[in-house]
Amino acid sequence: MECNDNLTHKFVIMDFEFSMINKTSIVLISGAISNSLDRFKIRTLEGRPLLLAPNEEVRPMRDQEFCQAIKKINQIFKCNNEFRDACLKKLNIICSKNKINNLTPMFIENYILKSDNEINVLVLWNGDSNKRILSRLGIKQFPILNIVCCDKLFNQTYSIQLEKIHTKEIIFEVEIGTFNKTRRMLNLEETHDIICSKNHKIKYANDPRTNVKFIKCIFDYVIRKQRYENLIKHFI
């Protein structure tokens, strides 16, 4: 989606890397964010991991909690060595370096608001978990567009759907073809590979920067089908 001075809406695409501790507390490890006015630039969100506990203020993790998070990541991803090792490596790098911290609610909110657009819409992939993270960060005031890809008729024919996450209203869908899978939902990489043939440079599966690249491709594909002027009618 190309930059245009007449655009009234900005679509902000984001993804977070996280884990859980104590069943209810979220450890926010990192993230990535981009927007529809800048076609190629993706900002990485890094810093001391944040503890997002229910009914508590957001704060950086303490050393003891950091050790708990490492233990939990080892347990959760014991069958996914690539993702587990990538998470642990990132945690160690983040906590061993003294770097600028932009993994904060203030930075994320300022990024969303940075433009003269009247309406800012957040774009998530299968976004229930990311919506919960945003809520715990105190970022609740923006409409959210959720993207999923599902097999509605149980015939291995998949469609991308755009959903207003707060109301569950499906505002657009487009069929993208068949895929040999028994589950009803395609993941982000599977969906992307159907609609995009580009060989993107990626770090590892489920890396937030990689995910945002894939979401941007899918979002651009849908915009070409639906048209910008039709999409913004749902966010006025």
Side-chain angles (χ1 to χ4, degrees):
M1 190 170 176
E2 297 180 359
C3 182
N4 186 320
D5 292 338
N6 295 321
L7 298 182
T8 58
H9 292 56
K10 181 176 68 180
F11 293 89
V12 180
I13 299 160
M14 60 178 65
D15 186 68
F16 296 109
E17 186 173 26
F18 66 95
S19 184
M20 302 290 297
I21 58 173
N22 302 329
K23 295 185 179 180
T24 58
S25 295
I26 299 170
V27 177
L28 183 55
I29 300 171
S30 67
I33 193 167
S34 186
N35 70 77
S36 57
L37 303 184
D38 192 336
R39 188 173 180 182
F40 300 107
K41 189 171 183 179
I42 298 174
R43 294 293 301 266
T44 300
L45 302 173
E46 293 182 303
R48 181 80 176 184
L50 299 178
L51 183 67
L52 311 181
N55 305 315
E56 292 185 19
E57 287 190 14
V58 176
R59 60 173 175 79
M61 292 181 65
R62 302 186 182 104
D63 289 342
Q64 183 180 1
E65 294 162 339
F66 181 74
C67 293
Q68 281 184 281
I70 290 176
K71 183 178 179 180
K72 197 67 177 178
I73 288 170
N74 277 311
Q75 291 174 349
I76 294 173
F77 301 112
K78 62 182 179 181
C79 296
N80 188 339
N81 294 339
E82 181 186 16
F83 188 56
R84 180 200 63 202
D85 293 345
C87 283
L88 294 176
K89 181 179 179 181
K90 183 171 290 186
L91 279 173
N92 288 325
I93 290 173
I94 287 170
C95 293
S96 63
K97 287 187 176 181
N98 183 17
K99 58 167 64 178
I100 295 174
N101 179 15
N102 63 5
L103 187 66
T104 66
M106 181 178 292
F107 179 89
I108 296 169
E109 187 167 354
N110 287 342
Y111 179 95
I112 295 169
L113 293 171
K114 186 181 176 181
S115 72
D116 296 327
N117 296 77
E118 296 177 7
I119 298 176
N120 297 288
V121 181
L122 310 187
V123 180
L124 307 176
W125 171 265
N126 200 13
D128 288 339
S129 295
N130 284 332
K131 176 178 175 286
R132 184 151 56 114
I133 289 171
L134 287 166
S135 179
R136 292 197 184 180
L137 290 171
I139 301 173
K140 306 176 183 179
Q141 68 271 44
F142 303 105
I144 298 177
L145 181 64
N146 190 36
I147 306 177
V148 298
C149 188
C150 64
D151 172 10
K152 297 191 303 177
L153 302 177
F154 299 93
N155 62 357
Q156 296 186 328
T157 300
Y158 289 86
S159 298
I160 296 173
Q161 295 181 338
L162 300 188
E163 172 193 70
K164 296 175 76 171
I165 203 167
H166 294 295
T167 63
K168 302 299 182 182
E169 176 192 359
I170 296 173
I171 60 176
F172 182 73
E173 64 180 298
V174 56
E175 185 178 304
I176 61 171
T178 59
F179 192 88
N180 185 17
K181 187 175 184 177
T182 55
R183 295 184 179 181
R184 288 196 63 201
M185 307 292 289
L186 292 188
N187 64 35
L188 177 57
E189 186 174 1
E190 290 166 342
T191 304
H192 171 268
D193 289 350
I194 291 176
I195 60 98
C196 180
S197 59
K198 292 180 181 177
N199 185 19
H200 295 285
K201 184 178 180 181
I202 63 174
K203 288 186 176 181
Y204 57 89
N206 293 315
D207 166 60
R209 284 187 66 89
T210 299
N211 288 350
V212 167
K213 284 181 184 179
F214 287 172
I215 298 169
K216 283 171 76 74
C217 274
I218 294 169
F219 185 65
D220 286 347
Y221 174 86
V222 173
I223 289 295
R224 290 195 297 271
K225 298 289 185 180
Q226 187 189 22
R227 308 300 300 171
Y228 171 84
E229 58 270 21
N230 294 325
L231 178 59
I232 64 174
K233 291 176 184 177
H234 298 278
F235 300 98
I236 56 176

